[in-house]
Amino acid sequence: EIVLTQSPATLSLSPGERATLSCRASQSVSNFLAWYQQKPGQAPRLLIYDSSNRATGIPARFSGSGSGTDFTLTISSLEPEDFAVYFCQMRSNWPWTFGQGTKVEIK
Amino acid sequence: QVQLVQSGAEVKKPGASVKVSCKASGYTFSTYDINWVRQAPGQGLEWMGWMNPKSGNTGYAQKFQGRVTMTRNTSTSTAYMELSSLRSEDTAIYYCAKRRSLTEAGWFDPWGQGTLVTVSS
């Protein structure tokens, strides 16, 4: 099973700042990596798939990059509604797995 | 719009089974796989398996093989996930999620609102 490790566990930032989240895979997943956002009491929402493609309706301030084992989600300028937990997920091998999440909190 | 609406919260005793439903609307139900993902309280996400609504074919994560069954009713556009031999560690929110596109499996968009299953004696 491929393990996805996200860092940091918590990111404390102010609105308007840039957020950089990391996801590292225990072995190569090519570009088969996605990012989800989850707010308290809500289901996850797909942000990015295939490492860098934005899902429908996702603002341009969200971008993804990386391939192989190292991936990054960047939020260029944090809006108040962006404070949430972010999970990465891979689909290169079964079982499809998720990272443990990074919480982006208001500083 | 595409929407998945799940059944309500359940409380079960250890050893029992639970069946969660997921009603789809806003698209042709038979076209896209439905996946199931669970999230234990305060924890991360765990993929359980997928089901093709047209064929009924399924694929389960090894961890759940023998305990999970995913089915569907195409006449009502509803998918079901049944988990048996419940134990306390199965206490979680269970989500259904639609396959994002026909060109690749494994991306989930959108998700249902979740169903809390509590296993307690």
Side-chain angles (χ1 to χ4, degrees), chain A residues 32-34 36 38 42-44 46 49-50 87 89 91 94-96 98, chain B residues 35 37 39 44-45 47 50 59 95 100 104-109 111-112:
Chain A
F32 298 136
L33 191 103
Y36 297 84
Q38 187 176 36
Q42 295 186 17
L46 178 67
Y49 64 95
D50 291 345
F87 293 95
Q89 179 234 331
R91 69 169 188 93
W94 278 18
W96 299 327
F98 293 83
Chain B
N35 291 264
V37 177
Q39 185 172 35
L45 300 161
W47 175 73
W50 62 268
Y95 294 101
R100 189 197 74 84
E104 83 280 319
W107 302 144
F108 312 134
D109 184 31
W111 297 51

Side-chain angles (χ1 to χ4, degrees), chain A residues 28-51:
Chain A
S28 176
V29 298
S30 185
N31 69 327
F32 298 136
L33 191 103
W35 292 92
Y36 297 84
Q37 177 193 67
Q38 187 176 36
K39 297 180 181 179
Q42 295 186 17
R45 175 176 72 146
L46 178 67
L47 298 175
I48 301 286
Y49 64 95
D50 291 345
S51 177

